[in-house]
Amino acid sequence: MLVIRRAKQIFTSSDKYGILENGSVVVEDGRILWVGPDEEIPVSLEKARLIDADGMVITPGFVDAHTHIPFYGHRADEFEMRNMGMSYMEIRERGGGIRRTVRMVRRATKEQLLEYNRKLVRKALSHGTTTLEGKSGYGLNLRDEIKQLEVLRELNESEPIDIVPTFLGAHEIPEGKDAAEYIEEVISWLPEIKERNLAVFVDIFCEKGVFSVQHARKLLTRARELGFKLKLHAEEFERIGGAMLGAELGAVSVDHLTAINEEDMEALAESGTVAVLLPGTTFFLGKSDYAPGRKMLEKGVKVAIATDFNPGSSMSQNMQFMITLAGIYMHFTVEEALRAATLGGAMALDLQDEVGSVEPGKKADILLFNVPDYRYIPYNYAVNNLRMVIKDGKPLTL
Ligand SMILES: [Zn+2]
């Protein structure tokens, strides 16, 4: 038994428990047994392991529901080129962009890919992410897509973080192929991925000039028949109908949504599909068209915030900073943003009964921040005020 006591605040992300002042959490067998005021701890402290959270703020572990781990190699030079005024298309013509990462991932051995991403995942954990979604999509052929998914499985088994794998074979059109022909190939890979249980979700980059709504419908309908859960990259640059398709097919989430309209929001609110918002991408690309998060909340859409961690358009694992961006650019209260980064992320992975809040029955994935108030976390921006990560009831050394 573990008792974390004398926290200044516990931000539970739970409607029932809200924000507790001067609280404690009791943990048993990796799960939360009890949360409440210090003076009401229902167990004997003599036999328990005690953690004194004096003056600190407790939150649930972050659930980062959209990353592009595992990848290989960096594109720091392209970041500088963009800042100096070169367009993405020019960079792409010079051999940069997603296809460059594809080449690097294809060339890497599974061992190299595993060790490279182990470091990236540990950095996410050290910033408070205890559950993370990762995607394939830099292989674009069966062998290398499977290599990526196997790396996610090995990372999940060997690191304390929980990793949810997504198959994103339809991330980009491989050089020399057309979209319709490639979608048929991707569909033909689904049974093997299902049989080997390598992915929970199937996702697609549904965007003008990449994969159309018709391609997405074909792939996702087949994926659903095989028992996969569904996600879509939708309405990032232009509104072409991906969000509506997600709502219609019962996708667990639709992600990006910078070009979404009110009709789409109503469809998402109706279907219960989670909107995963990625303010880090808009920020890092130097753009100003943030997804209309405030309006989505008002329309009753379930909302999550995630990093979109990838080597091109969002090179950060720091969910604390995403909360800052959601406040400034999407006009979320800190309470709304923190919930979107924890319970919202859990809903976007269909794990809301397991993680995302500090309440009895859930996994004991708990963060201790050395700050005087939960609102201080995004306010003291782009630095890491995390003092301790507890994963499955175990304090980690970071
Ligand atoms: Zn993405």
Side-chain angles (χ1 to χ4, degrees):
M1 182 132 7
L2 171 71
V3 178
I4 310 155
R5 58 175 186 156
R6 305 203 318 135
K8 181 144 190 308
Q9 284 173 340
I10 305 179
F11 185 95
T12 65
S13 279
S14 147
D15 286 333
K16 186 171 172 196
Y17 296 92
I19 301 167
L20 293 165
E21 303 284 331
N22 306 313
S24 298
V25 185
V26 179
V27 172
E28 192 175 46
D29 296 331
R31 298 257 162 190
I32 295 163
L33 191 67
W34 181 88
V35 57
D38 286 327
E39 59 278 9
E40 293 174 19
I41 298 177
V43 297
S44 152
L45 294 183
E46 274 148 41
K47 286 181 200 153
R49 175 173 181 189
L50 299 179
I51 291 176
D52 193 340
D54 189 22
M56 288 200 268
V57 170
I58 286 179
T59 74
F62 295 125
V63 180
D64 190 350
H66 187 136
T67 86
H68 287 264
I69 279 179
F71 56 83
Y72 197 74
H74 68 81
R75 286 163 30 205
D77 53 343
E78 293 178 23
F79 169 65
E80 189 182 44
M81 287 178 205
R82 274 201 286 116
N83 295 343
M84 294 300 115
M86 201 180 284
S87 74
Y88 179 76
M89 289 317 285
E90 284 174 272
I91 292 170
R92 193 173 157 184
E93 277 157 28
R94 293 183 176 209
I98 289 183
R99 285 171 175 167
R100 181 173 172 204
T101 301
V102 170
R103 286 195 299 276
M104 292 192 274
V105 166
R106 284 178 177 174
R107 274 202 294 262
T109 64
K110 194 170 130 190
E111 230 12 70
Q112 286 173 320
L113 197 58
L114 180 63
E115 294 316 313
Y116 193 86
N117 286 277
R118 189 184 299 288
K119 291 188 192 118
L120 300 177
V121 158
R122 284 184 181 170
K123 193 158 279 182
L125 199 52
S126 73
H127 285 79
T129 298
T130 48
T131 303
L132 174 142
E133 184 258 12
K135 307 177 198 289
S136 68
Y138 293 124
L140 309 184
N141 60 45
L142 182 60
R143 187 194 73 136
D144 293 301
E145 288 289 313
I146 283 185
K147 180 172 75 183
Q148 281 197 281
L149 295 172
E150 286 174 343
V151 162
L152 289 175
R153 170 176 287 177
E154 290 190 26
L155 284 172
N156 183 48
E157 286 167 0
S158 59
E159 293 294 321
I161 197 166
D162 287 324
I163 298 181
V164 178
T166 296
F167 171 57
L168 179 62
H171 188 197
E172 169 69 289
I173 306 160
E175 269 164 287
K177 293 203 170 153
D178 76 66
E181 161 197 16
Y182 181 59
I183 278 294
E184 293 303 328
E185 262 186 73
V186 172
I187 289 171
S188 75
W189 302 337
L190 291 174
E192 180 175 349
I193 290 162
K194 187 68 200 173
E195 222 160 90
R196 296 184 52 201
N197 201 20
L198 284 166
V200 174
F201 287 92
V202 169
D203 190 354
I204 181 167
F205 191 59
C206 183
E207 192 64 51
K208 195 174 173 190
V210 192
F211 298 107
S212 68
V213 170
Q214 289 71 27
H215 297 141
R217 179 184 292 282
K218 201 164 185 191
L219 172 66
L220 296 178
T221 302
R222 181 68 186 127
R224 192 173 64 171
E225 284 168 8
L226 289 168
F228 289 103
K229 295 174 188 177
L230 310 180
K231 287 184 173 290
L232 283 98
H233 284 63
E235 332 293 13
E236 181 179 357
F237 299 104
E238 276 192 50
R239 179 178 177 269
I240 63 165
M244 281 287 187
L245 180 69
E248 181 198 323
L249 295 180
V252 176
S253 79
V254 288
D255 303 29
H256 282 291
L257 307 175
T258 44
I260 192 174
N261 71 12
E262 290 201 15
E263 206 188 328
D264 298 326
M265 294 181 207
E266 281 153 18
L268 296 179
E270 175 84 9
S271 68
T273 302
V274 180
V276 179
L277 310 181
L278 307 165
T281 312
T282 311
F283 172 79
F284 196 65
L285 292 176
K287 296 180 6 178
S288 53
D289 58 337
Y290 287 86
R294 175 88 251 145
K295 194 163 243 176
M296 289 189 213
L297 287 176
E298 283 161 10
K299 290 265 182 196
V301 179
K302 292 182 198 164
V303 165
I305 293 168
T307 60
D308 195 20
F309 180 48
N310 78 78
S313 60
S314 186
M315 189 59 189
S316 176
Q317 295 100 317
N318 188 352
M319 287 289 281
Q320 298 169 52
F321 185 52
M322 303 307 140
I323 293 167
T324 302
L325 295 177
I328 297 172
Y329 296 111
M330 293 177 177
H331 312 294
F332 280 31
T333 65
V334 177
E335 183 174 352
E336 287 162 346
L338 249 171
R339 282 179 74 116
T342 53
L343 190 60
M347 291 190 295
L349 297 177
D350 203 16
L351 289 176
Q352 60 280 0
D353 296 330
E354 281 288 300
V355 295
S357 60
V358 179
E359 57 189 317
K362 293 230 178 157
K363 281 189 173 211
D365 295 354
I366 291 167
L367 308 179
L368 271 72
F369 286 93
N370 194 9
V371 295
D373 185 287
Y374 74 93
R375 286 169 292 201
Y376 198 101
I377 298 167
Y379 161 68
N380 189 197
Y381 72 96
V383 299
N384 192 5
N385 278 304
L386 194 56
R387 173 64 69 81
M388 187 185 282
V389 176
I390 296 170
K391 179 74 187 86
D392 295 311
K394 293 189 194 77
L396 303 180
T397 331
L398 299 173

